[in-house]
Amino acid sequence: MREAMTIEIDGRCVQGTCHSGASPGRRGVLFFNSGAQPRSGRGDLNVRLADAFAEQGYPSYRFDLPGLGDSEGELPPSHFAFHRLIIGGGYANFGVNLTRLLLQAHQLEDMVLMGICGGALTAVYAASLLAPAEVAGLVLLDLPFYLETRQTDARAASSSQNSLGSKGRRAAGLLRASVRDLVLRQSWAPRVITIYHKTLNRLSSVKAHQMPGNTNREMLKAVAGLFSQHMPILLFSAPHPKSEPPHFDFIDYLRRTSNGHLQHLEMPITTHSFVEVGLPELVEESALKWLSRQSQSGSTS
Amino acid sequence: MVAVYKETARYLEVASHSLYTITFGCESPKAKILLCGPGPTHRLYSLAAWVRWARFLAQHNCIAIRFDYRGTGESTGKFVEMTFEDWWDDILQMSAWADAEFGHTPLVLHGIGMGGLLAQKAFTSGRGDALLLWSPSVHASDVLDQALIMRLSMDLMQLKPENRKSAQQYVADLKSGMPFEAEGYSWSYRLWESAGAIHLDPAFVRPSEGAEGNRPWRHFALGTGLVPLALSRKLQRAMHPGAVRGSDQPLSPDFNSFFTMNLDWLLRILAKPSPA
């Protein structure tokens, strides 16, 4: 059964949906918005998952963060600024207030916090501010590990303003293309290009063992804090695109530092949204198994 | 614990489903505006802006009612079982509810994209005292075409050439009862078939205004400056599930001048003798 909920947090009207089953337990699941999407998520995935969890006795809640979907509130001016806000934990306090409000109003013992991408970040930051007894665990899908770079922002800003910077980049691009055409016409080109690509791959492999400079270390610190509190985390990830160079294995890093509190599931072919054919069913089934194990091993639902 | 606001969310029972609705109320309404939203994939990008418009209307003495079609968003039902007739019926049911709930205040049917097309059909069948369209879909099949294009582009990203299907193959599969998945929704042959008969009436196709009897209507075209209210291929590509970083487009643009233009038209037509 679904119930429309309207509540006030920090002076703003926030809209949400409560899913409950025939025999609701006392452990809830709270979803956070993915990026700037409404609380239903792409393909209404969050609705589907919340219905499934509620049927199994976990009252589930989806609220639009301030400014998103149906909720009141202001948003940063650009997507990049919004991503930086989420990456830096800008919605963490809201997440804390919402969690506590729901725990009290619905007389729940604790809450599992859940989200995809930006929603996963908000879940991590909120959990790190809540008391351990308030959070039963986290279900995170495609947790992002990187910061938004200034370079991306500057490029976006200058390209939209047709500035000297964007003209310079266009000129540089034309020069690169001319040099590339000149090299390709040389007889030694194939051998040199092969050596060039092998060198690049070797460098990427070396770099892949080092945590990159744009790692979101604050977020990793928050996760480490949760592991130290024995917080169970279920982490789904999409496969790393083969077309991209090797990267630092953050999943392995988390596994090594989790003291056994991390369960990681890499999904088969899927994108960042987890709505490709068969994936919603797989996420639903895996998450329910994990929820059931947590209920059996610790505080019960 | 639940405070009472002018923004009231509730579920309404319609044809064995529960439609999610929010009423943005006001004290002395001049009209009630039924907001017939876009198709589900467009909703993903445009909902926040659509809701800001609803708040704008409520701040200017117009009750705004937004809802999710059955099988989509917050409403119950399975998307794969839906047809365009179901969604058209949702508009008819919501119109009837609005009239019953808010009495003889004039009802304006207002639609964007797919919602515009269906709102126009409801208007022409006699519902509503006025019609406001924002870039209505001309054919219901346009909604399916967009979904099919998203499917084909995802296949290009994810599948080897020998495993990819053509558009014709997907349609043939549909006819044999196999839905295709795009943007997380299962698009069925029932939906495909139901689209065939639904087109915008010729008079409403171009941005213009007119009247059916003493019931006025207006069609505004949404330009690229009105993204994400306008459906933008660029935004869709940037927000594609494979593109993690997002768009360099503004997140929450100021549409107040466009909103004001529409409000001015509404107030102008409402100032005329009531058609009811």
Side-chain angles (χ1 to χ4, degrees):
Chain A
M1 189 185 80
R2 295 181 201 169
E3 181 194 339
M5 293 184 69
T6 306
I7 56 179
E8 178 181 333
I9 295 185
D10 303 332
R12 287 173 293 218
C13 172
V14 170
Q15 301 286 359
T17 308
C18 165
H19 300 245
S20 57
S23 308
R26 297 185 63 202
R27 170 165 295 165
V29 180
L30 174 58
F31 291 72
F32 292 106
N33 298 67
S34 169
Q37 294 175 9
R39 65 189 187 276
S40 51
R42 187 181 294 274
D44 301 332
L45 175 63
N46 293 345
V47 181
R48 178 204 172 112
L49 292 174
D51 273 343
F53 297 163
E55 243 180 81
Q56 299 302 317
Y58 304 97
S60 297
Y61 306 88
R62 297 177 297 105
F63 279 81
D64 281 319
L65 295 173
L68 298 181
D70 292 316
S71 291
E72 270 188 328
E74 294 305 314
L75 290 171
S78 70
H79 282 272
F80 289 123
F82 180 68
H83 289 147
R84 277 203 302 272
L85 178 71
I86 296 179
I87 283 165
Y91 282 109
N93 286 334
F94 176 86
V96 168
N97 293 339
L98 178 60
T99 302
R100 287 186 172 144
L101 200 149
L102 291 171
L103 285 173
Q104 189 186 25
H106 290 249
Q107 294 163 332
L108 299 171
E109 271 186 13
D110 52 29
M111 194 77 82
V112 169
L113 306 186
M114 176 160 184
I116 301 176
C117 187
L121 283 172
T122 300
V124 164
Y125 287 122
S128 69
L129 296 175
L130 287 158
E134 293 172 310
V135 185
L138 286 87
V139 178
L140 312 173
L141 289 83
D142 249 12
L143 179 69
F145 295 100
Y146 300 102
L147 300 168
E148 266 300 346
T149 60
R150 285 185 186 276
Q151 184 186 4
T152 310
D153 259 1
R155 184 162 55 228
S158 66
S159 67
S160 67
Q161 294 164 16
N162 200 24
S163 67
L164 195 60
S166 68
K167 287 179 186 166
R169 273 191 296 281
R170 276 200 296 274
L174 284 170
L175 181 63
R176 266 199 304 274
S178 302
V179 168
R180 186 184 60 233
D181 289 347
L182 180 68
V183 166
L184 285 173
R185 280 196 280 272
Q186 309 308 315
S187 61
W188 43 260
R191 192 188 295 178
V192 168
I193 290 170
T194 303
I195 293 171
Y196 171 73
H197 281 294
K198 278 187 177 169
T199 307
L200 266 188
N201 282 340
R202 216 162 272 161
L203 280 173
S204 297
S205 300
V206 167
K207 283 185 184 173
H209 294 296
Q210 304 161 0
M211 206 177 274
N214 62 341
T215 298
N216 188 348
R217 292 175 192 270
E218 282 305 309
M219 184 274 290
L220 287 181
K221 203 167 131 187
V223 173
L226 293 172
F227 284 145
S228 71
Q229 295 167 9
H230 312 293
M231 182 74 59
I233 297 180
L234 173 62
L235 175 65
F236 294 91
S237 63
H240 183 66
K242 289 191 171 68
S243 56
E244 289 186 15
H247 68 152
F248 181 77
D249 192 341
F250 284 105
I251 306 291
D252 180 62
Y253 172 81
L254 288 181
R255 201 180 284 119
R256 285 186 281 113
T257 55
S258 71
N259 298 320
H261 297 300
L262 174 72
Q263 181 181 351
H264 168 242
L265 294 170
E266 181 174 285
M267 296 285 99
I269 297 178
T270 186
T271 60
H272 187 51
S273 64
F274 295 85
V275 295
E276 296 297 298
V277 176
L279 261 298
E281 290 83 358
L282 200 48
V283 170
E284 178 186 317
E285 184 189 329
S286 304
L288 278 171
K289 277 186 189 158
W290 180 87
L291 283 168
S292 173
R293 267 203 307 279
Q294 302 315 311
S295 296
Q296 284 160 19
S297 65
S299 35
T300 53
S301 66
Chain B
M1 200 281 286
V2 174
V4 176
Y5 287 96
K6 289 181 183 171
E7 297 184 14
T8 309
R10 73 192 102 190
Y11 277 95
L12 298 175
E13 298 309 308
V14 166
S16 77
H17 292 289
S18 302
L19 293 194
Y20 179 80
T21 74
I22 304 184
T23 304
F24 300 79
C26 56
E27 296 222 350
S28 307
K30 294 178 180 156
K32 48 192 188 277
I33 320 290
L34 180 65
L35 272 59
C36 307
T41 52
H42 188 182
R43 175 187 182 279
L44 188 71
Y45 310 106
S46 62
L47 181 61
W50 192 229
V51 168
R52 276 196 289 127
W53 165 232
R55 288 203 178 95
F56 182 93
L57 287 168
Q59 286 158 11
H60 293 86
N61 298 321
C62 294
I63 295 172
I65 305 161
R66 87 147 200 92
F67 69 97
D68 284 331
Y69 302 102
R70 62 184 92 161
T72 74
E74 301 299 321
S75 294
T76 64
K78 291 184 182 170
F79 182 86
V80 71
E81 294 171 2
M82 297 301 140
T83 65
F84 284 98
E85 283 97 1
D86 291 326
W87 294 335
W88 183 350
D89 185 54
D90 287 343
I91 294 177
L92 299 179
Q93 300 280 346
M94 286 301 304
S95 307
W97 176 82
D99 277 335
E101 185 79 1
F102 299 107
H104 52 263
T105 317
L107 171 67
V108 179
L109 299 184
H110 173 33
I112 179 173
M114 179 188 91
L117 166 59
L118 298 176
Q120 184 266 295
K121 308 315 285 185
F123 180 72
T124 305
S125 73
R127 297 298 173 108
D129 302 301
L131 174 70
L132 175 58
L133 301 174
W134 286 355
S135 288
S137 300
V138 176
H139 308 285
S141 56
D142 292 344
V143 177
L144 287 141
D145 286 344
Q146 283 161 18
L148 186 54
I149 286 171
M150 291 304 293
R151 174 72 265 152
L152 294 170
S153 65
M154 288 304 294
D155 286 353
L156 207 60
M157 270 177 52
Q158 294 186 308
L159 300 179
K160 292 180 180 167
E162 59 268 25
N163 295 333
R164 292 178 208 148
K165 288 184 193 175
S166 65
Q168 290 76 14
Q169 281 173 302
Y170 273 117
V171 174
D173 286 347
L174 269 182
K175 288 180 179 169
S176 66
M178 197 188 318
F180 71 86
E181 182 275 325
E183 294 283 87
Y185 296 100
S186 287
W187 302 78
S188 69
Y189 183 63
R190 282 186 77 208
L191 186 63
W192 189 274
E193 205 177 28
S194 72
I198 304 178
H199 310 279
L200 205 62
D201 289 350
F204 299 89
V205 169
R206 295 166 64 84
S208 56
E209 59 183 304
E212 289 216 340
N214 57 1
R215 298 186 304 144
W217 61 266
R218 181 84 189 253
H219 169 172
F220 283 105
L222 301 178
T224 52
L226 290 166
V227 170
L229 277 174
L231 185 61
S232 151
R233 286 273 181 249
K234 186 179 174 187
L235 179 61
Q236 274 188 300
R237 280 196 301 272
M239 303 302 283
H240 206 268
V244 177
R245 285 210 172 162
S247 164
D248 60 354
Q249 293 195 333
L251 176 62
S252 183
D254 182 356
F255 292 146
N256 277 355
S257 59
F258 177 70
F259 289 169
T260 301
M261 183 172 70
N262 281 267
L263 179 69
D264 287 346
W265 179 79
L266 286 168
L267 295 178
R268 182 160 50 84
I269 57 134
L270 291 168
K272 291 181 181 169
S274 168

